[in-house]
Amino acid sequence: VLAGWLGNGSAHRRRFAQLSPFKVDEVSAAKKMPSATSHPRTESSPTGPNTNPTGPNTGTDWNAMANEDFRMAVRAFFEHEYPDELRYLLRRARWAEMKDWVQKLAKQGWLAPAWPTELGGMGLSPDKQVIFIEERERWGVARHPDQGVTMIGPLLMRYGTEEQKQRFLPEIISGEHVWCQGYSEPNAGSDLASLATEAVADGDHFIINGTKIWTSLAHDATHMFLLARTDKNAKRQAGISFFLLDLKTPGVTIRPIPNIEDHAEFCQEFFDKVRIPRENLVGELNQGWTVAKTLLTFERLNNGSPRRCSYSLNKLPVVARERGLWEDAEFQSKFTRLRLDVLDLGSSYKRYADVLKQGKSPDPGISMLKIWQSETTLRLSELMLETASDASYIRDEELSFGDEKVDVLGPFYAALHTVISSGSNDIQRNVLAKRVLGLG
């Protein structure tokens, strides 16, 4: 009855495809740039004090600028300074690749957009932060090893002692310290509260024994923030503490784990009688679970970004045209459905970005972003394999479709693990069911 009244899904998809066709010039643009949604380089940047894209901007009051002027200043900097060869990477960037870029950001005073200016950050208001992220994603700027800036730095500002702030924050903002996250364990991934790595008090130190796994880029890191059990008899969440660890400490072993595409993105770490000074305990003893939860909002928003879908979405027309499938009704049906999925994701992402613009914390429904992004990206990569047909099974960096190079297998490999990483989609659905829908 509703379909008869309002029209069914297939009819609406056909109408959308007719009203908003994927234009030929959009497909052609992909031949010149890594993404068909990329824009040409900005011809000019706004005039005014301290908006030179190649000069330091450490004294600028960014929040006093009009949003559009700020956007153009950020855009000009990214377009002039970010290396073209690192745009739209389909894997996590390594520190050796990103070190020069990180140091350039640090020199510019742009490494920590959200940090207060007195600590070396840009001091951006929430709406300026969102613009900064939008322009970074628009230009395909890879995420550098940033957990020091985005995670442990803000956490220390909230929970750290004055001594911890003075000792660690300057090294983060200068780009000298590279941090990684020690949460998951072989038997404690999605059920993180069951972690078994133990920290036993011993005078002025804690002695750590155990292991962490699936740690992103630990082999590039100098330091780790980790959770360890400090009270075996307490309830699971109540007996966990939060520590800071110098990875050069004796007893730490780091073993890289190659992923399905043979990139060593993850690592496993082994701790054998590792001594951590008591002053490296963050927050109260046995209250680490509360500290750790504050880090999750950034991860949920970042993992829900529509930019992760952009490569496959914009390369699919290139492959389809070369394969003679662009006008095929079945292909167009599948492609249009996925285009609408990406637009839906973008709409939801904007809603949560608007919450941040207002300086508020997103509700638990933000878990939907991670689910929708990862599953949409996976479906796009599967359609890429289907459209490329037998060419998709050639193990190579890029394949030629006309005069365009396309990485066919890479997006599929990159998308496979995202439905599990950063909190599996099953766990995210549990969060939605309990905390949004009030079930169980």
Side-chain angles (χ1 to χ4, degrees):
V1 171
L2 289 175
W5 174 29
L6 301 173
N8 58 53
S10 296
H12 285 301
R13 282 190 293 273
R14 284 193 295 270
R15 180 169 172 77
F16 169 76
Q18 293 167 357
L19 294 176
S20 181
F22 204 91
K23 298 177 183 178
V24 175
D25 59 348
E26 290 181 274
V27 178
S28 299
K31 299 177 183 295
K32 301 176 183 178
M33 311 193 79
S35 165
T37 56
S38 294
H39 302 283
R41 288 185 183 270
T42 302
E43 294 298 328
S44 61
S45 58
T47 58
N50 298 319
T51 55
N52 180 357
T54 59
N57 288 279
T58 53
T60 303
D61 182 1
W62 299 109
N63 294 323
M65 295 177 64
N67 279 352
E68 191 57 31
D69 288 343
F70 175 72
R71 182 182 297 277
M72 296 307 296
V74 172
R75 179 175 299 184
F77 178 76
F78 287 151
E79 292 184 1
H80 283 85
E81 300 297 328
Y82 187 70
D84 279 341
E85 66 274 14
L86 295 178
R87 293 180 64 200
Y88 294 97
L89 290 182
L90 294 174
R91 54 177 174 78
R92 288 290 292 268
R94 297 293 302 274
W95 177 246
E97 297 173 294
M98 301 299 288
K99 182 178 180 180
D100 289 346
W101 170 244
V102 169
Q103 292 178 346
K104 185 177 292 186
L105 287 172
K107 183 178 180 180
Q108 179 81 357
W110 285 21
L111 185 57
W115 284 29
T117 54
E118 60 268 23
L119 294 177
M122 295 177 74
L124 297 184
S125 59
D127 59 330
K128 294 291 195 303
Q129 290 180 44
V130 171
I131 291 172
F132 191 93
I133 293 170
E134 288 173 347
E135 288 303 311
R136 185 177 62 198
E137 296 187 349
R138 167 194 173 274
W139 198 245
V141 177
R143 180 184 174 187
H144 60 80
D146 62 358
Q147 295 189 4
V149 170
T150 60
M151 292 188 170
I152 194 61
L155 186 139
L156 288 177
M157 293 176 204
R158 179 173 178 179
Y159 291 101
T161 64
E162 285 304 313
E163 187 275 336
Q164 288 171 343
K165 296 174 187 177
Q166 293 174 16
R167 184 154 53 106
F168 292 109
L169 294 182
E171 302 297 329
I172 295 173
I173 199 65
S174 67
E176 296 299 317
H177 284 179
V178 181
W179 287 79
C180 62
Q181 181 186 70
Y183 278 14
S184 295
E185 299 182 5
N187 294 306
S190 297
D191 183 18
L192 183 58
S194 65
L195 64 87
T197 293
E198 186 178 16
V200 178
D202 182 33
D204 293 335
H205 289 77
F206 286 89
I207 300 177
I208 308 288
N209 286 285
T211 182
K212 297 292 180 179
I213 199 169
W214 309 126
T215 310
S216 297
L217 304 180
H219 43 345
D220 288 344
T222 60
H223 291 73
M224 171 186 283
F225 54 93
L226 72 145
L227 296 174
R229 189 163 300 284
T230 45
D231 186 347
K232 291 183 177 180
N233 298 318
K235 290 184 178 180
R236 298 193 311 165
Q237 289 92 337
I240 295 172
S241 298
F242 193 103
F243 295 96
L244 309 176
L245 172 64
D246 186 331
L247 290 175
K248 295 192 300 293
T249 304
V252 177
T253 301
I254 299 175
R255 181 181 300 165
I257 304 173
N259 63 18
I260 194 171
E261 204 176 4
D262 204 27
H263 295 145
E265 177 180 346
F266 303 107
C267 297
Q268 183 171 7
E269 302 78 42
F270 302 89
F271 309 110
D272 182 14
K273 300 178 182 177
V274 175
R275 298 180 69 84
I276 295 183
R278 184 174 286 271
E279 58 262 29
N280 284 18
L281 170 69
V282 179
E284 299 295 327
L285 185 68
N286 297 325
Q287 297 300 311
W289 189 259
T290 299
V291 177
K293 286 194 299 184
T294 65
L295 299 178
L296 295 180
T297 297
F298 163 79
E299 195 168 44
R300 296 289 179 264
L301 188 65
N302 181 69
N303 288 332
S305 170
R307 72 173 168 82
R308 295 170 178 254
C309 305
S310 63
Y311 185 89
S312 292
L313 181 68
N314 293 299
K315 294 295 187 180
L316 260 170
V318 175
V319 177
R321 288 170 69 85
E322 292 300 324
R323 287 285 175 176
L325 295 174
W326 181 243
E327 303 295 338
D328 181 78
E330 183 176 4
F331 172 83
Q332 278 295 327
S333 175
K334 294 176 179 178
F335 182 66
T336 301
R337 183 188 295 268
L338 290 169
R339 282 185 66 199
L340 285 166
D341 286 346
V342 175
L343 289 173
D344 286 342
L345 174 63
S347 178
S348 296
Y349 182 86
K350 184 179 184 303
R351 181 165 67 87
Y352 283 104
D354 287 342
V355 171
L356 290 179
K357 284 182 182 180
Q358 299 167 20
K360 301 177 182 178
S361 296
D363 60 63
I366 197 172
S367 289
M368 176 58 74
L369 288 183
K370 193 267 178 177
I371 296 171
W372 199 249
Q373 180 278 129
S374 59
E375 295 182 2
T376 299
T377 303
L378 184 57
R379 287 192 290 269
L380 278 164
S381 69
E382 290 171 343
L383 182 57
M384 177 89 84
L385 295 181
E386 178 185 322
T387 306
S389 189
D390 56 328
S392 66
Y393 299 99
I394 300 174
R395 184 73 163 82
D396 200 352
E397 287 289 328
E398 293 183 316
L399 301 174
S400 295
F401 291 86
D403 59 354
E404 172 72 355
K405 294 287 187 179
V406 179
D407 185 346
V408 173
L409 277 173
F412 177 70
Y413 287 144
L416 269 177
H417 73 84
T418 62
V419 298
I420 301 173
S421 62
S422 301
S424 75
N425 286 9
D426 288 339
I427 294 296
Q428 300 308 315
R429 285 184 166 91
N430 286 345
V431 170
L432 294 171
K434 293 178 180 178
R435 300 184 62 190
V436 177
L437 301 178
L439 303 177

